[in-house]
Amino acid sequence: MSKVTAQQRQQQVLFAVMSVYRFLIAERDLPSLLQGICDRLVGQGLNLSAWMVLLDDDHGGIITAETGLGEVFTPVMDNLRQGVLPACGLRALDQQGGAARFCPGTACENCSLPRCRGVGQAITVPIRCRQNLFGFLVIQTPEGGQVTDEELGLVADLAESIGQALHNLLRMEESRVREKELQRIEERFELALHASDAGLWDWNIKTGEMFTSPCRKGFLDYRENGGAPGSAAWEGLIHPDDKARVLQVLNDHLAGKTEEYRIEYRIKKENGAWRWFLDCGRVVERDEQGMPVRMTGTHQDITLQKEQAEILVRVQRQLHDAVERERTFLQTVIDGAADSVMVIDMDYTVLLINATAARIMKIDSSEARGRKCHKLFHGSDVPCTDKRYPCPIQAVQESGNRVTLIHNPLHGNNINNTFEIEVTPLRDGTGRIRGIIEVARDITDRLRIEKELRESQSKLYQLAHHDILTGLPNRLLFRDRMKQAVAKAQRHKSRVAILFLDLDKFKDINDTLGHDVGDQLLVEVARRLQRQCRKSDTVARFGGDEFVFILDEIKDRNGAAVVAEKILKAMSEPVRVGCHTLHITTSIGIALYPDHSEDMDQVMKYADMALYQAKAEGRNNYRFYDPAMRAPSCSERQDAD
């Protein structure tokens, strides 16, 4: 073969890069995307190999793809699982600004790839998807070929595009997951809105249209003179003293300066009265320029709560000289709350505690007032330092604002539940923090449900892709593995063997000993078959006593024959099932891709024909497909079984 000129290689590189760019636009599956990139960089003999490694710091995972290395990549994977990166990967990650680097071979003496050590040359480049997801790409170029600065620049630009494509792909997947999660909790959220007497609103920012909950239409209806509800009508009903503050908080959130839009303000009702409302919401959709498109939230009449809060503020201002009647009234109010409520001053002294909190903490509410909270809750003479239940007072001192904490257990009181605590600063007339109001809510059931949802998703995948009895891949997963094996065979110019097998006279065992014994026998057969597999091979169960092998990357039919003989030998060992000792044999039919056909469905059919030929010739043997074979009739199949 003639040597490729620099100009020819430049054209080949440009063609491969453009092919990758087109692939980045079309592909939406992450494993297929990574593998497709490597395939295109090696295709047409452009490079010897290409491999990619992505490191996920958030989940501690590793994602890889390779083309042109095969088993040579195994030691690299072993090192990656131990947290050891190859030297070329480290050099790539050290590059500033995402530049590509040429490795001339003699600089790779410590490389973990035997094919590269001292003889190969490669291009390495970092790939940055997001802050905690990054990696590198290594392209092994033909020996002696010249790698130009222009080629390095193209690879660097390509790596940047790959990182952006991965970032977009992951962002789209996260959006789909979030959408599904929102759909699952929509019903619970609606129930929660009913329980809290709050209304839901959904605001189209571009058009100004405002959707409101049907059950709260009157509660959130901002129509003027019978017109359509919208943001303009809403602004006209805000109290003049509150409008500037409301719009400032809203605009800050729309500009991305705050994580949440939350504000209390007054609105004029139809009868002319001013009512206090609490608005909570978030921008849930932005366009490609980051501009807000859609915002949703809740709208709740808190006039009664404001009145109660004003009572609490007055009580706090006059705490030391208030009469017992006022204290009794306030205690009655908070005792009506279903959640745990406590008021504690900045010296850790319990001022108020409602009946729910006293019941949860197993203390007498009348004896709790005036005592130090850390002494009362867990018998300590000093404030809490255990990270399982961070101190609410210290958290408010550090932030100066309302905070949300998680306690497990609640204040160290040996309560084996998880609590979410909303801690609000209690201020005096000058704005100085005098204490905290703590409201604790048991979220144990919510956390348990979330965990069960995650586990159920994993179980559903297992059930969909594996045989229930043996745990082997089923037809669905087998089809996917078969496509992968064919793709690998096409890349490496190798063969794939399909071995169809079933147990001889298995029906007699079921009929005489029962299906329970037959099922236990199938489980043991599956174990024996798995022991005959390489890591790259697949053995699946199609149903009954039918099993199928995929042997990938074999050189010729001898490799398949060796495996078939090992299977026959493994099946010849007696099987102990309960009180029965069973002597079984198996028959095997073998067909090869692409020798017998380039259509894998046809290869499967040929393997099935060879299986029944093996049974017809006396069972307990194997046969390769031969064009002279014919498909067995239904009666012949029944006789063979």
Side-chain angles (χ1 to χ4, degrees):
M1 181 180 295
S2 61
K3 184 176 181 181
V4 177
T5 66
Q7 183 178 4
Q8 289 174 330
R9 176 167 177 81
Q10 185 75 0
Q11 291 177 346
Q12 291 174 348
V13 170
L14 284 171
F15 180 81
V17 169
M18 291 303 299
S19 175
V20 174
Y21 278 133
R22 289 192 295 270
F23 185 65
L24 293 178
I25 296 173
E27 184 57 50
R28 292 295 179 267
D29 178 66
L30 179 58
S32 300
L33 182 65
L34 300 183
Q35 187 59 57
I37 292 170
C38 294
D39 292 346
R40 283 161 174 77
L41 292 175
V42 176
Q44 304 300 320
L46 175 63
N47 295 299
L48 299 180
S49 68
W51 51 287
M52 191 182 307
V53 174
L54 291 180
L55 307 174
D56 187 348
D57 278 358
D58 285 337
H59 304 92
I62 301 172
I63 309 170
T64 65
E66 63 83 17
T67 299
L69 292 176
E71 294 299 328
V72 176
F73 196 58
T74 300
V76 178
M77 284 299 303
D78 293 340
N79 287 339
L80 289 173
R81 294 188 186 98
Q82 299 175 15
V84 179
L85 297 180
C88 50
L90 292 173
R91 285 195 294 272
L93 294 176
D94 286 340
Q95 289 292 93
Q96 298 297 323
R101 178 173 179 175
F102 176 62
C103 177
T106 55
C108 297
E109 296 178 356
N110 297 322
C111 184
S112 52
L113 290 176
R115 288 177 58 178
C116 291
R117 189 173 298 145
V119 297
Q121 58 185 26
I123 299 172
T124 64
V125 63
I127 296 176
R128 294 181 174 87
C129 307
R130 53 176 64 175
Q131 182 176 0
N132 294 324
L133 183 62
F134 55 90
F136 54 87
L137 170 67
V138 179
I139 304 171
Q140 187 179 2
T141 63
E143 298 178 17
Q146 182 64 33
V147 175
T148 65
D149 291 340
E150 288 79 3
E151 181 173 346
L152 292 177
L154 284 172
V155 172
D157 292 341
L158 178 61
E160 182 179 358
S161 298
I162 291 172
Q164 186 62 42
L166 293 175
H167 175 80
N168 293 337
L169 181 63
L170 294 173
R171 187 172 61 182
M172 292 172 59
E173 180 62 26
E174 290 166 356
S175 297
R176 285 193 292 268
V177 171
R178 285 196 297 269
E179 182 177 354
K180 290 181 181 179
E181 184 63 23
L182 286 174
Q183 292 173 351
R184 283 195 294 269
I185 67 175
E186 182 176 354
E187 182 179 357
R188 294 178 188 169
F189 181 63
E190 188 65 30
L191 292 174
L193 288 175
H194 278 286
S196 64
D197 197 31
L200 175 68
W201 52 266
D202 191 335
W203 178 27
N204 186 320
I205 300 172
K206 288 189 174 181
T207 65
E209 294 176 335
M210 182 83 73
F211 166 81
T212 60
S213 303
C215 59
R216 293 291 188 270
K217 203 69 176 178
F219 186 58
L220 290 168
D221 201 346
Y222 301 121
R223 283 176 286 188
E224 291 182 339
N225 301 323
S231 59
W234 162 72
E235 291 182 21
L237 297 175
I238 301 176
H239 194 287
D241 294 341
D242 297 340
K243 181 177 292 187
R245 179 171 53 88
V246 171
L247 295 179
Q248 182 64 49
V249 173
L250 177 60
N251 290 331
D252 285 348
H253 180 66
L254 293 176
K257 296 179 181 179
T258 60
E259 293 185 1
E260 181 185 34
Y261 163 69
R262 184 183 183 92
I263 192 168
E264 298 174 2
Y265 60 96
R266 289 163 288 181
I267 282 185
K268 190 175 184 178
K269 303 302 290 182
E270 292 181 357
N271 60 4
W274 292 102
R275 301 285 292 181
W276 277 98
F277 281 82
L278 169 64
D279 262 13
C280 299
R282 291 186 181 217
V283 172
V284 295
E285 183 179 353
R286 294 181 181 271
D287 60 22
E288 295 180 353
Q289 289 73 38
M291 298 300 294
V293 174
R294 179 180 166 219
M295 184 174 176
T296 63
T298 58
H299 191 67
Q300 183 177 9
D301 188 330
I302 59 168
T303 304
L304 180 59
Q305 292 93 318
K306 291 289 290 186
E307 293 172 354
Q308 292 175 342
E310 290 174 3
I311 294 174
L312 287 175
V313 171
R314 288 199 300 270
V315 170
Q316 179 63 22
R317 274 199 310 264
Q318 303 170 3
L319 185 61
H320 296 293
D321 57 357
V323 298
E324 185 62 27
R325 181 178 60 82
E326 293 171 326
R327 180 182 292 276
T328 302
F329 170 74
L330 184 57
Q331 186 67 52
T332 302
V333 171
I334 67 172
D335 278 345
D339 293 329
S340 168
V341 180
M342 290 184 284
V343 180
I344 307 172
D345 69 17
M346 301 307 288
D347 291 328
Y348 302 94
T349 302
V350 177
L351 304 178
L352 291 172
I353 181 171
N354 73 343
T356 302
R359 184 177 68 254
I360 292 174
M361 305 297 289
K362 298 180 181 179
I363 57 178
D364 189 329
S365 58
S366 62
E367 296 179 357
R369 289 193 296 268
R371 297 183 62 184
K372 298 297 183 183
C373 58
H374 48 81
K375 185 71 174 179
L376 177 65
F377 297 148
H378 55 93
S380 174
D381 293 328
V382 296
C384 311
T385 58
D386 196 319
K387 293 183 178 180
R388 293 176 301 165
Y389 38 93
C391 176
I393 295 176
Q394 295 173 6
V396 168
Q397 281 179 325
E398 293 173 0
S399 69
N401 299 306
R402 185 174 65 176
V403 297
T404 301
L405 305 174
I406 300 297
H407 272 204
N408 187 1
L410 180 60
H411 288 297
N413 204 258
N414 297 323
I415 302 167
N416 296 322
N417 283 5
T418 301
F419 287 80
E420 180 181 73
I421 303 178
E422 292 284 346
V423 188
T424 305
L426 187 62
R427 303 179 185 272
D428 61 17
T430 65
R432 187 166 64 92
I433 298 178
R434 297 294 301 273
I436 62 168
I437 302 173
E438 174 187 310
V439 180
R441 183 173 298 107
D442 191 332
I443 61 170
T444 305
D445 288 341
R446 188 186 81 191
L447 297 177
R448 175 181 55 79
I449 291 172
E450 291 174 353
K451 180 181 179 182
E452 289 174 354
L453 285 174
R454 291 192 298 270
E455 292 175 348
S456 66
Q457 291 173 346
S458 176
K459 291 178 181 177
L460 285 174
Y461 180 86
Q462 179 70 17
L463 290 174
H465 293 82
H466 292 81
D467 175 51
I468 296 177
L469 176 64
T470 64
L472 293 176
N474 60 13
R475 288 178 182 267
L476 180 62
L477 185 55
F478 175 84
R479 283 286 180 183
D480 183 66
R481 297 279 180 84
M482 187 168 64
K483 291 179 182 177
Q484 296 179 26
V486 169
K488 188 184 294 185
Q490 291 173 344
R491 292 196 305 270
H492 299 165
K493 307 300 181 185
S494 59
R495 292 175 173 81
V496 178
I498 298 296
L499 278 65
F500 238 118
L501 62 96
D502 65 12
L503 303 182
D504 298 328
K505 302 297 183 181
F506 177 72
K507 184 175 181 298
D508 294 344
I509 296 175
N510 271 344
D511 292 343
T512 57
L513 302 180
H515 287 278
D516 288 343
V517 173
D519 286 348
Q520 294 180 57
L521 173 60
L522 291 175
V523 171
E524 174 58 27
V525 168
R527 292 196 189 101
R528 294 187 181 186
L529 293 177
Q530 284 180 301
R531 288 196 288 267
Q532 313 310 316
C533 283
R534 300 170 300 176
K535 290 183 179 180
S536 60
D537 297 335
T538 297
V539 57
R541 182 188 178 212
F542 276 13
D545 61 328
E546 290 185 343
F547 297 87
V548 186
F549 268 81
I550 301 175
L551 305 179
D552 65 351
E553 290 196 285
I554 62 172
K555 296 181 179 179
D556 50 39
R557 60 188 290 162
N558 291 335
V562 170
V563 175
E565 291 171 357
K566 290 171 61 178
I567 294 173
L568 293 175
K569 181 178 180 182
M571 293 298 105
S572 66
E573 296 293 331
V575 180
R576 184 71 178 176
V577 179
C579 60
H580 305 285
T581 300
L582 305 178
H583 296 273
I584 61 172
T585 60
T586 185
S587 300
I588 306 171
I590 308 172
L592 300 177
Y593 168 91
D595 297 24
H596 294 137
S597 177
E598 294 184 358
D599 183 344
M600 284 308 298
D601 289 334
Q602 198 66 28
V603 174
M604 295 280 292
K605 179 180 178 180
Y606 289 160
D608 183 59
M609 293 170 61
L611 165 64
Y612 282 95
Q613 183 67 30
K615 285 182 172 290
E617 295 181 6
R619 299 184 178 88
N620 194 26
N621 59 17
Y622 66 90
R623 289 292 179 269
F624 281 89
Y625 168 73
D626 186 280
M629 293 180 181
R630 63 178 181 84
S633 64
C634 293
S635 60
E636 288 173 331
R637 285 180 178 271
Q638 293 176 354
D639 293 340
D641 292 339

